[in-house]
Amino acid sequence: MQLPQTVVGADGSAPAGVAVEQAAREAACHGSRLRIVHTVNWVPPPGFASVLSEAGEKALREGGERVLAEAETAARSAAPEVEVSTTLSMGDPRTVLAELSREALMTVVGSSGTSGIASGLLGSVARHLVTHAEGPVMVAREASASSAPIVVGVDGSAEAEAATAYAFAEAAACAEPLVALHAWSEWSVPPSPPNDPSLRYARAPGELKEGEERLLAQLLSGWCERYPQVSVERRTVRERARQALIEASRSARLLVLGRRGKGGFAGLRLGSVSNAAVQHAHCSVVVVHGRRSDPEAGGPGPLFARPAV
């Protein structure tokens, strides 16, 4: 039986180098193969002589082979036990990696590539993959301390449920602690009618906070039983979700999010909270799609059933 594969894009840039090393360590945690991909997107100018076109493509291919060789060396150094292969493809890297994501356990890219801007804004390949890839996508940034936890955003949506499933499996595979973060505010929780119709809708002091803490406990019920080896901290914060997640990423090894959160519109590929977190998080971010599988299950497929309580 062939092992599942983790796919990582390499283009010779420093962010891609970070992605390769992190992808190798992820492959080691999950017992998967690592496939390093470099794409050559050669489109000669109109009227370009065929001999010059062939020479240009050959030069790009040779450069790509050097990039792949360097990336393979870095991956084997980061995780010597992992089976590594390299692929040189023709075409747009966004299209190539999105296609490979269909069968990948995870697709890993740097936060920006060779054309990235020093400000750290998300590169075009990373931006395309987090919105269009078929499986979990990691946007890699410089790693935090090895003792840093995995943080998952929880809001009760189906996409956040998928992220919770992924985060528990990731924490178990990599033997790391998990922080389940639920952000709330008076504006995010609709008023509910009081038990006594003669009373006003106003809540007693602390009642809303207690209700949100109970909600988080309910949303996590079953996962702790399925993964008893994972140390879980339940954290509820009275703050906008995007600020809470970005702040939590300062002390995290990995931030795991659903592609869209509660209240997201079905036609949107990436929710505003997820987009902000991917753009500005201080650690690596994994964006999970609700229809994909648990990384322990060995590959793509329908999201496994919620554990019984």
Side-chain angles (χ1 to χ4, degrees):
M1 179 179 176
Q2 192 175 42
L3 293 173
Q5 69 177 5
T6 297
V7 173
V8 60
D11 63 9
S13 67
V18 171
V20 167
E21 292 181 4
Q22 291 196 24
R25 287 190 284 268
E26 286 292 322
C29 280
H30 295 288
S32 75
R33 297 173 291 136
L34 179 64
R35 183 175 181 180
I36 306 172
V37 180
H38 177 78
T39 58
V40 174
N41 194 20
W42 171 240
V43 181
F48 214 54
S50 60
V51 63
L52 294 177
S53 177
E54 292 174 4
E57 182 178 328
K58 179 182 178 183
L60 287 175
R61 283 182 173 276
E62 291 174 348
E65 293 290 358
R66 288 192 295 272
V67 167
L68 287 172
E70 292 172 1
E72 181 177 0
T73 298
R76 293 189 185 281
S77 176
E81 69 276 28
V82 171
E83 177 186 336
V84 180
S85 64
T86 61
T87 301
L88 183 66
S89 296
M90 295 295 296
D92 189 319
R94 296 170 296 184
T95 303
V96 171
L97 290 171
E99 182 63 29
L100 290 173
S101 74
R102 295 176 180 274
E103 302 298 329
L105 192 65
M106 173 190 286
T107 304
V108 185
V109 288
S111 55
S112 62
T114 51
S115 60
I117 301 173
S119 64
L121 293 178
L122 207 61
S124 63
V125 174
R127 187 167 56 248
H128 180 86
L129 286 175
V130 296
T131 54
H132 296 286
E134 292 296 324
V137 174
M138 175 190 281
V139 178
R141 290 186 173 88
E142 289 289 350
S144 302
S146 58
S147 58
I150 296 167
V151 174
V152 59
V154 181
D155 66 6
S157 66
E159 298 275 353
E161 180 79 357
T164 301
Y166 194 93
F168 267 91
E170 174 79 8
C174 299
E176 293 174 332
L178 178 65
V179 174
L181 176 64
H182 175 58
W184 61 274
S185 71
E186 289 80 358
W187 302 105
S188 66
V189 182
S192 55
N195 294 328
D196 185 344
S198 66
L199 298 176
R200 300 189 179 197
Y201 273 59
R203 296 180 174 91
E207 182 180 349
L208 184 55
K209 179 177 184 294
E210 292 171 0
E212 294 303 299
E213 289 174 346
R214 286 194 299 272
L215 174 62
L216 179 58
Q218 292 168 4
L219 294 172
L220 296 178
S221 63
W223 295 115
C224 293
E225 286 77 7
R226 177 167 180 168
Y227 296 98
Q229 72 274 42
V230 176
S231 172
V232 183
E233 175 192 343
R234 295 199 298 261
R235 187 184 300 174
T236 57
V237 293
R238 183 182 175 184
E239 193 175 357
R240 293 181 68 184
R242 68 183 69 188
Q243 279 89 350
L245 290 165
I246 292 170
E247 182 60 30
S249 74
R250 292 181 182 276
S251 57
R253 198 266 302 176
L254 189 66
L255 178 62
V256 183
L257 304 168
R259 188 164 64 173
R260 289 190 309 274
K262 198 169 185 179
F265 295 97
L268 296 179
R269 292 281 189 167
L270 191 66
S272 60
V273 172
S274 299
N275 182 57
V278 169
Q279 291 276 4
H280 302 293
H282 301 278
C283 68
S284 297
V285 179
V286 172
V287 177
V288 182
H289 301 192
R291 62 185 176 275
R292 290 303 301 268
S293 67
D294 171 1
E296 283 192 347
L303 181 69
F304 56 84
R306 178 177 173 80
V309 178

